[in-house]
Amino acid sequence: DVKVTQSSRYLVKRTGEKVFLECVQDMDHENMFWYRQDPGLGLRLIYFSYDVKMKEKGDIPEGYSVSREKKERFSLILESASTNQTSMYLCASSLRAANQPQHFGDGTRLSIL
Amino acid sequence: GEDVEQSLFLSVREGDSSVINCTYTDSSSTYLYWYKQEPGAGLQLLTYIFSNMDMKQDQRLTVLLNKKDKHLSLRIADTQTGDSAIYFCAESFGSSNTGKLIFGQGTTLQVKP
């Protein structure tokens, strides 16, 4: 079974802090994704990566950056956290082929005070 | 652009059938997916259907696809309290191998005993 592990289930940070969310997958997937989930808005794609050191902006990249130094790990960085970044963050991975399903981690509920 | 729409809420009684509906816009999508999210967890792939199929059945789950109307539905037979969750439909983003999916807003299914 595919395992996608997010480093924290719950995280509380302060406004202005630099925040790192980590995601690791164990199935040698090429593609990795970061989403945020807010009530009534569904999942919105922040960034994705289709290979090591490659990244592409999703629909809402502002205020975020990412890092993919190794194939199995994809990090989401909040450069200077703000209260409107309080949300549930979900990481996913998939094989690099058309129409492959994404496999999700359990999510990180991030609160910015 | 591409869009996926779902109603936000459905309430049924235990033992009844549930039908969750979804409409999508990208006619080049070749796979459509249903995911389930239980409280506090990530998304779990439930089932998927290839666009040249009209129907797919998997135990209590039946997926119907009307490609002409771009309408997808998920029927859960004999709904149980453990089926209470948020259900997301998703379409593959064209024929790209980036693995991007477009998600609906999610339908919250409430099952009353």
Side-chain angles (χ1 to χ4, degrees):
Chain A
D1 270 358
V2 177
K3 183 75 175 169
V4 179
T5 303
Q6 293 184 231
S7 54
S8 304
R9 292 296 301 273
Y10 302 94
L11 207 52
V12 181
K13 296 290 182 181
R14 295 208 172 274
T15 305
E17 280 193 70
K18 190 169 185 176
V19 181
F20 293 84
L21 302 183
E22 306 286 346
C23 176
V24 176
Q25 50 92 6
D26 67 357
M27 283 302 291
D28 206 34
H29 284 174
E30 292 86 2
N31 297 332
M32 295 189 76
F33 307 84
W34 275 107
Y35 296 89
R36 65 176 282 176
Q37 181 181 11
D38 301 288
L41 297 178
L43 273 69
R44 292 182 291 167
L45 183 64
I46 305 171
Y47 267 96
F48 68 101
S49 168
Y50 53 88
D51 205 346
V52 175
K53 297 193 186 294
M54 305 303 287
K55 60 186 179 184
E56 287 202 20
K57 293 179 181 178
D59 300 317
I60 51 163
E62 296 78 18
Y64 303 94
S65 62
V66 289
S67 172
R68 185 122 183 247
E69 295 297 316
K70 293 185 178 181
K71 192 175 185 180
E72 67 270 20
R73 185 180 297 269
F74 192 35
S75 304
L76 179 69
I77 304 153
L78 285 66
E79 297 290 343
S80 177
S82 63
T83 54
N84 63 13
Q85 292 178 308
T86 291
S87 187
M88 170 74 117
Y89 289 87
L90 292 164
C91 175
S93 71
S94 71
L95 287 168
R96 188 178 178 187
N99 304 307
Q100 291 296 309
Q102 293 181 12
H103 301 269
F104 284 81
D106 285 336
T108 296
R109 187 162 292 283
L110 175 65
S111 296
I112 307 295
L113 304 179
Chain B
E2 294 76 15
D3 199 12
V4 177
E5 297 283 338
Q6 299 177 242
S7 54
L8 293 183
F9 188 77
L10 176 66
S11 181
V12 301
R13 293 222 169 265
E14 193 174 15
D16 287 350
S17 292
S18 308
V19 179
I20 301 171
N21 294 302
C22 172
T23 57
Y24 62 97
T25 57
D26 186 358
S27 57
S28 66
S29 293
T30 51
Y31 278 94
L32 295 125
Y33 304 88
W34 283 104
Y35 284 85
K36 176 184 180 183
Q37 184 182 35
E38 295 182 357
L43 276 67
Q44 168 196 356
L45 179 66
L46 268 184
T47 188
Y48 60 91
I49 188 167
F50 189 51
S51 59
N52 68 353
M53 299 168 66
D54 298 323
M55 186 181 87
K56 180 179 180 182
Q57 187 150 4
D58 184 1
Q59 299 182 334
R60 290 190 298 121
L61 304 179
T62 304
V63 179
L64 294 177
L65 177 60
N66 180 329
K67 205 173 176 186
K68 174 176 166 287
D69 293 339
K70 295 180 187 163
H71 183 266
L72 181 72
S73 67
L74 174 70
R75 179 176 179 270
I76 306 172
D78 186 26
T79 313
Q80 304 297 308
T81 53
D83 295 322
S84 294
I86 304 175
Y87 291 82
F88 290 92
C89 69
E91 62 169 342
S92 54
F93 186 66
S95 59
S96 164
N97 67 358
T98 63
K100 284 178 69 177
L101 300 180
I102 308 297
F103 287 87
Q105 309 97 308
T107 300
T108 297
L109 174 64
Q110 179 189 65
V111 182
K112 296 180 180 177

